[in-house]
Amino acid sequence: MTINESIKWAASQLEESCERPLYEAELLLAYHLNRDRMFLIIHASDELEDLDGFKKLVLRRVKHEPYEYIVGSASFYDIHLAVEPGVLIPRPETEILIDLVAEIIEKEKITRMAEIGIGSGAISVVLARMFPQLKIIATDICDTPLKVAGRNRDTFGLKDQIELRRSNLIDEVPETLELVVSNPPYIAEDFLLKSNVVDYEPKEALFGGRVGDELLKQIIVNTQVKGTKYLACEMGYDQKEPIQAFVKEVGVKSVQFYKDLAGFDRGFVIEFY
């Protein structure tokens, strides 16, 4: 089977499992060959080496395994991050959160912050690269995210800026902080997710409790009690009203909600008294 024939076969197999079957077929073959997509065009009529190996990759994707887990890498912001099962795949929506946080860091000249729920390290790594003066304590309750985030941190030479700490929220962070950032689990436990998400990505990084906003509310309280000035969080599209009511109840200086590129409510920035 030639490279071109292999791509057509893979695309036909992937029609039910992904939105852009031809594109993903090309990406998987480029990964399999350790080449770029241009190589596939130039060598379209060449015989494909290790066809069985390529078919195994395609069949994993047919079963809805996320592309990022198959290749062990996710594109995020201006970098590529290592990912593996047990670590949430970073989403484009989180880039909006980073841009808002970057504005606060710049305006307030912030030098010490924490990230709750490090995941792959996406938020901390991007912010540390933007701000060389920034020191970040990044927490997670699970071992796999701490391991993968550590690998990404070290890949970009950020060991002096990012300290990883096993902790529930910020329970193990006694240090004074100027800012807390989090993309926590915020999905209600009975919400139906697509197979490629619920069957493969870590449930502890997705589901935030029976209603879904329990962890968000706990993070708000913990940050307020700690005396930290700013909190920036991602949230679910339907959680603006309950969060708005909750911050009114606990008393904050201001809360600003923001939307994602699709126009859905996606997160908030709180300034505490």
Side-chain angles (χ1 to χ4, degrees), residues 52-265:
D52 287 344
F54 177 55
K55 284 185 174 180
K56 283 177 185 173
L57 293 179
V58 173
L59 292 176
R60 286 172 67 185
R61 189 69 183 101
V62 167
K63 292 176 183 174
H64 298 280
E65 183 174 351
Y67 167 81
E68 291 84 357
Y69 286 162
I70 295 171
V71 304
S73 177
S75 175
F76 181 77
Y77 219 85
D78 60 343
I79 56 177
H80 282 84
L81 294 158
V83 293
E84 64 179 61
V87 171
L88 192 73
I89 297 165
R91 272 45 172 192
E93 294 87 357
T94 305
E95 297 181 6
I96 303 169
L97 176 65
I98 286 176
D99 288 339
L100 289 169
V101 170
E103 286 177 19
I104 296 169
I105 293 169
E106 203 159 12
K107 178 184 157 200
E108 300 291 329
K109 296 183 171 49
I110 284 168
T111 59
R112 184 170 289 276
M113 61 162 277
E115 181 189 358
I116 294 173
I118 183 72
S120 65
I123 293 173
S124 286
V125 166
V126 171
L127 288 172
R129 292 178 79 236
M130 280 184 184
F131 301 99
Q133 83 284 1
L134 190 61
K135 302 289 185 188
I136 303 170
I137 299 169
T139 74
D140 209 287
I141 201 167
C142 299
D143 291 331
T144 302
L146 290 168
K147 177 190 75 175
V148 174
R151 199 189 320 159
N152 286 319
R153 173 196 67 181
D154 297 350
T155 295
F156 292 98
L158 300 169
K159 205 167 186 177
D160 290 343
Q161 285 181 260
I162 302 172
E163 179 192 342
L164 301 173
R165 202 173 288 180
R166 197 175 198 280
S167 174
N168 176 49
L169 307 182
I170 45 174
D171 293 355
E172 306 301 323
V173 185
E175 293 91 339
T176 300
L177 301 167
E178 300 162 273
L179 165 71
V180 171
V181 180
S182 186
N183 177 17
Y186 52 71
I187 299 170
E189 59 189 26
D190 61 353
F191 188 83
L192 294 176
L193 292 166
K194 290 181 179 178
S195 171
N196 66 305
V197 177
V198 74
D199 292 342
Y200 291 96
E201 297 199 61
K203 290 174 176 55
E204 61 272 13
L206 296 167
F207 298 105
R210 189 180 62 79
V211 178
D213 61 10
E214 290 93 333
L215 264 179
L216 281 166
K217 290 174 178 176
Q218 189 61 57
I219 289 169
I220 292 169
V221 170
N222 287 12
T223 306
Q224 184 181 39
V225 168
K226 194 169 177 57
T228 301
K229 188 175 182 184
Y230 289 101
L231 169 66
C233 279
E234 210 167 290
M235 68 177 191
Y237 70 94
D238 57 351
Q239 291 171 338
K240 181 178 177 178
E241 283 187 20
I243 294 297
Q244 210 161 23
F246 185 73
V247 296
K248 190 175 181 182
E249 187 183 313
V250 300
V252 302
K253 187 174 180 182
S254 68
V255 58
Q256 170 201 348
F257 291 90
Y258 68 88
K259 295 180 185 291
D260 61 21
L261 296 175
F264 293 111
D265 291 313

Side-chain angles (χ1 to χ4, degrees), residues 3 30 33-44 46:
I3 283 177
L33 296 172
N34 197 24
R35 301 280 189 169
D36 59 26
R37 286 169 64 216
M38 184 57 70
F39 177 89
L40 307 181
I41 297 168
I42 296 168
H43 297 271
D46 290 4

